[in-house]
Amino acid sequence: MVWRSVEPQRTDYLTWLPTLSNKPTKMSLEWLVAWSWSLDGLRDCIASGIQSVRDCDTSAVVTVACLLVLFVWYCYHVGREQPRPFVSVNSLMQGADANGLQNGYVYCQSPECMRCTHSEGLNQKLYHNLQEYAKRYSWSGMGRIHKGIREQGRYLNSRPSIQKPEVFFLPDLPTTPYFPRDAQKHDVEVLERNFQTILCEFETLYKAFSNCSLPQGWKMNSTPSGEWFTFYLVNQGVCVPRNCRKCPRTYRLLGSLRTCIGNNVFGNACISVLSPGTVITEHYGPTNIRIRCHLGLKTPSGCELVVGGEPQCWAEGRCLLFDDSFLHTASHGGVVEDGPRVVFMVDLWHPNVAAAERQALDFIFAPGR
């Protein structure tokens, strides 16, 4: 006996298709046949899906449904949550008006200053800015920032006395008073290669100093003893045009740094000068998302930087990286003949802050917000 496969439906259709004399009609009938086969396949697929659902474990289906409901509820809750009245982050910095701009430097004259504000209103504003960023872009990678903002009060109040950033603490960042040069190797190498350029522009500026007045663009900071001057190119994320024109090569150099913080209120770049006999009061920086880089321009003996209780000395033409959210101080214990201690200071991103977090923090802490 010989078995032979047959296709009854296909054979039946094809046996009478050639008998049709009208060609368009023949094509239409062939299309109907194919369509009928497609419907049969779709019906079989639906039946298989229904059978799979019936065979599935009921407890697994219930678990998946509950997780889906919780996820929808969370998205709704986050999207609808509105902060209470808040202060503007932009008000944390004074505008360049007649009362705020002196010697080319933006002075803080507001009780709502970024460095001085510890109110609930600031946290509300930061959370509002984070929500706005997430709606424009994405919540992806924002877990650590979201956690930091929502629990900022607890973080700042419970930190050990050795490290207490005054404004914003990003959780789960490695903490150490000093960083190795390799932490931001590219930028360190760029700065050190241009040591002579920066030094020459400083020396030109310093010639304007006299005993009778403070040259335009320089700021005198309060210290318990001695004198501490700063000349800002970028102050809290804002360029100081008049000062930048006096140091054009140094300012252009900032653009070649890959990790320079230049778009939010935590970014600064300046020349810092300590006269002999100066001691800077111990203090904390505003945040732990940055590392502060000091390039030594003039470093007499007797000068010292102490961060988190660990002393270090500057060296001319070399960069020193540290986390200024740790308690820190600097001093110049030399004599007048030694001359001032001078460093070029620039704020760089902490190496463990991810690119997505940097973009979000630039948005949240933008000077114009």
Side-chain angles (χ1 to χ4, degrees), residues 341-361:
R341 182 240 58 178
V342 185
V343 298
F344 178 64
M345 185 200 78
V346 58
D347 290 322
L348 309 176
W349 283 104
H350 189 293
N352 293 95
V353 178
E357 292 175 318
R358 296 178 186 183
Q359 179 178 332
L361 291 168

Side-chain angles (χ1 to χ4, degrees), residues 12-87:
D12 292 342
Y13 283 123
L14 296 179
T15 54
W16 57 267
L17 280 174
T19 63
L20 297 174
S21 58
N22 191 313
K23 188 173 181 180
T25 305
K26 177 180 178 181
M27 294 177 62
S28 299
L29 290 174
E30 289 178 347
W31 179 83
L32 287 174
V33 172
W35 182 63
S36 176
W37 291 343
S38 299
L39 288 179
D40 291 339
L42 179 62
R43 184 172 62 252
D44 293 341
C45 181
I46 294 174
S48 299
I50 294 175
Q51 186 61 36
S52 298
V53 173
R54 290 175 178 175
D55 295 341
C56 183
D57 184 16
T58 304
S59 62
V61 174
V62 172
T63 302
V64 172
C66 291
L67 290 175
L68 181 61
V69 170
L70 288 174
F71 176 73
V72 172
W73 174 85
Y74 175 78
C75 293
Y76 173 81
H77 176 73
V78 171
R80 288 294 301 271
E81 184 176 356
Q82 295 294 332
R84 295 185 293 274
F86 46 76
V87 298

Side-chain angles (χ1 to χ4, degrees), residues 94-110:
Q94 282 294 80
D97 53 23
N99 295 325
L101 186 63
Q102 300 175 13
N103 283 334
Y105 178 80
V106 181
Y107 277 73
C108 171
Q109 296 182 342
S110 170

Side-chain angles (χ1 to χ4, degrees), residues 262-295:
N263 297 318
N264 71 54
V265 295
F266 297 131
N268 301 275
C270 73
I271 296 172
S272 175
V273 178
L274 293 185
S275 64
T278 301
V279 176
I280 298 176
T281 305
E282 289 185 326
H283 62 287
Y284 302 97
T287 182
N288 66 326
I289 67 172
R290 72 188 187 189
I291 56 177
R292 180 149 282 185
C293 175
H294 281 185
L295 172 65

Side-chain angles (χ1 to χ4, degrees), residues 159-186:
R159 294 297 303 167
S161 59
I162 194 173
Q163 184 191 28
K164 278 192 173 183
E166 296 180 338
V167 178
F168 179 72
F169 178 80
L170 185 64
D172 306 324
L173 280 182
T175 59
T176 179
Y178 295 96
F179 285 80
R181 293 159 45 81
D182 289 345
Q184 297 296 2
K185 183 177 180 180
H186 173 270

